[in-house]
Amino acid sequence: MDGQTRIPILKVGRVLIVPIQVDMDDQTVIHLQDRILSELERTGARGVLIDISLLEMVDSFIGRVLSDIAAMARIMDARTVVVGMQPAVAITLVELGLELRGVDTVLNVDEGIRLLRSEFGIDDDEEDSPFGGGAGAFAEQVNRP
Amino acid sequence: MQSRSIALESEHDIIIARGEVRAIAARLGFRLLDQTRLATVTSELARNVVKYALRGRMTAQPLDPAQGRAGLRLVFEDSGPGIPDVAAAMRDGFSTGRSLGKGLPGSKRLVDVFEIESEVGRGTRVTVVRWL
């Protein structure tokens, strides 16, 4: 199943939400990076929120790709937040010597949205924004190959 | 508990290996943090096998407290190109590929015992132990 695992990318307002809920092989990780960047370009989203709360391990490969995603997104004028890292994963990452350079990490999705909104000035002037009006609003699932 | 051996021949085998090591570690009574350390070490070392030697093998050996000390030993073996300069490979930031060079030195920090034997043209064997 190399490269076949599909990680959903949801666009909510001006933020791409990427919930990683399965253990990913390297091809899937690389493929996900490509898809996030092309969705940033396609949608003009300004933030990327990657939820790794279900990831039981982040090794140097996944760590490097998370840093790369943040660096490339920044060049495209978007900010990346990684949310929900398990404590055991965080401790192991530090011991490995990984810093996740350029990646902001917060505890949960709420905090992630708040950070993107306040620190990075990703406003909610779009009518389908999840920040202002009705909760949840519209989530467009991006499912192109 | 019996030893378990897993072939490492594709990227998908890396996932199988780290999942299996986590399950064995849990059964042996390792706490969550140590399970995570062992799964992460497995991912790093299994990737090295697949990336540099194309194929090899991992063996997980539970260590019986009756014969010394309880723990889990993991052996990663391949018949690949070998590592010309092991000392350099063990330094933080050294990489021949496009990795961060954290794999070997980082792995060493996650375990209690870390041994590496390598001969150019013959292959590499990395043995790690985490005590329970």
Side-chain angles (χ1 to χ4, degrees):
Chain A
M1 57 186 270
D2 288 1
Q4 296 304 306
T5 316
R6 301 290 298 182
I7 309 293
I9 299 176
L10 307 163
K11 179 174 174 289
V12 183
R14 305 183 72 180
V15 176
L16 297 180
I17 296 180
V18 186
I20 299 176
Q21 303 188 323
V22 291
D23 201 1
M24 299 177 290
D25 65 29
D26 296 1
Q27 280 308 312
T28 302
V29 176
I30 292 291
H31 189 54
L32 179 64
Q33 173 179 335
D34 294 345
R35 285 171 56 225
I36 288 173
L37 296 177
S38 57
E39 286 312 315
L40 276 178
E41 187 193 18
R42 190 180 73 90
T43 64
R46 301 284 314 282
V48 180
L49 188 152
I50 303 175
D51 180 5
I52 63 165
S53 55
L54 292 178
L55 268 195
E56 294 184 321
M57 182 220 68
V58 173
D59 61 10
S60 61
F61 179 76
I62 296 176
R64 194 198 75 211
V65 173
L66 288 175
S67 285
D68 285 354
I69 288 172
M72 295 172 190
R74 188 168 279 262
I75 291 171
M76 298 172 74
D77 200 22
R79 298 294 177 267
T80 302
V81 178
V82 168
V83 308
M85 187 185 296
Q86 295 178 16
V89 173
I91 291 167
T92 303
L93 260 185
V94 171
E95 289 175 345
L96 257 186
L98 288 187
E99 304 158 40
L100 294 191
R101 213 169 302 136
V103 179
D104 285 287
T105 52
V106 294
L107 285 180
N108 55 44
V109 174
D110 267 349
E111 293 292 327
I113 296 278
R114 199 166 299 139
L115 182 72
L116 286 172
R117 191 181 173 188
S118 62
E119 297 264 321
F120 304 144
I122 295 173
D123 50 35
D124 42 359
D125 57 5
E126 276 199 356
E127 56 182 32
D128 62 345
S129 165
F131 306 139
F138 308 90
E140 173 195 353
Q141 177 147 1
V142 179
N143 250 339
R144 303 177 322 144
Chain B
M1 199 185 288
Q2 291 218 320
S3 289
R4 175 100 163 81
S5 185
I6 292 175
L8 301 172
E9 295 173 354
S10 73
E11 282 183 0
H12 193 64
D13 293 333
I14 301 170
I15 293 187
I16 293 172
R18 69 192 181 210
E20 189 68 28
V21 164
R22 176 180 288 276
I24 292 171
R27 253 180 282 143
L28 288 172
F30 279 100
R31 64 197 172 121
L32 180 63
L33 177 53
D34 282 334
Q35 293 172 31
T36 305
R37 288 178 172 132
L38 285 162
T40 307
V41 163
T42 301
S43 191
E44 300 290 344
L45 299 179
R47 177 174 294 105
N48 280 354
V49 169
V50 172
K51 186 166 146 193
Y52 294 109
L54 302 183
R55 61 181 53 82
R57 176 159 291 283
M58 180 201 76
T59 307
Q61 304 167 330
L63 300 178
D64 186 350
Q67 292 163 19
R69 196 167 167 189
L72 179 58
R73 176 191 289 134
L74 305 172
V75 182
F76 300 81
E77 294 171 288
D78 65 63
S79 309
I83 303 170
D85 188 344
V86 171
M90 290 305 299
R91 279 201 298 272
D92 263 317
F94 179 88
S95 174
T96 55
R98 54 181 214 115
S99 72
L100 293 171
K102 297 288 185 188
L104 287 177
S107 296
K108 187 178 179 182
R109 289 191 286 267
L110 299 181
V111 291
D112 297 309
V113 175
F114 186 100
E115 290 164 0
I116 180 164
E117 306 151 74
S118 190
E119 200 179 323
V120 172
R122 299 294 293 275
T124 302
R125 180 195 292 131
V126 181
T127 305
V128 302
V129 178
R130 181 93 204 171
W131 305 117
L132 191 57

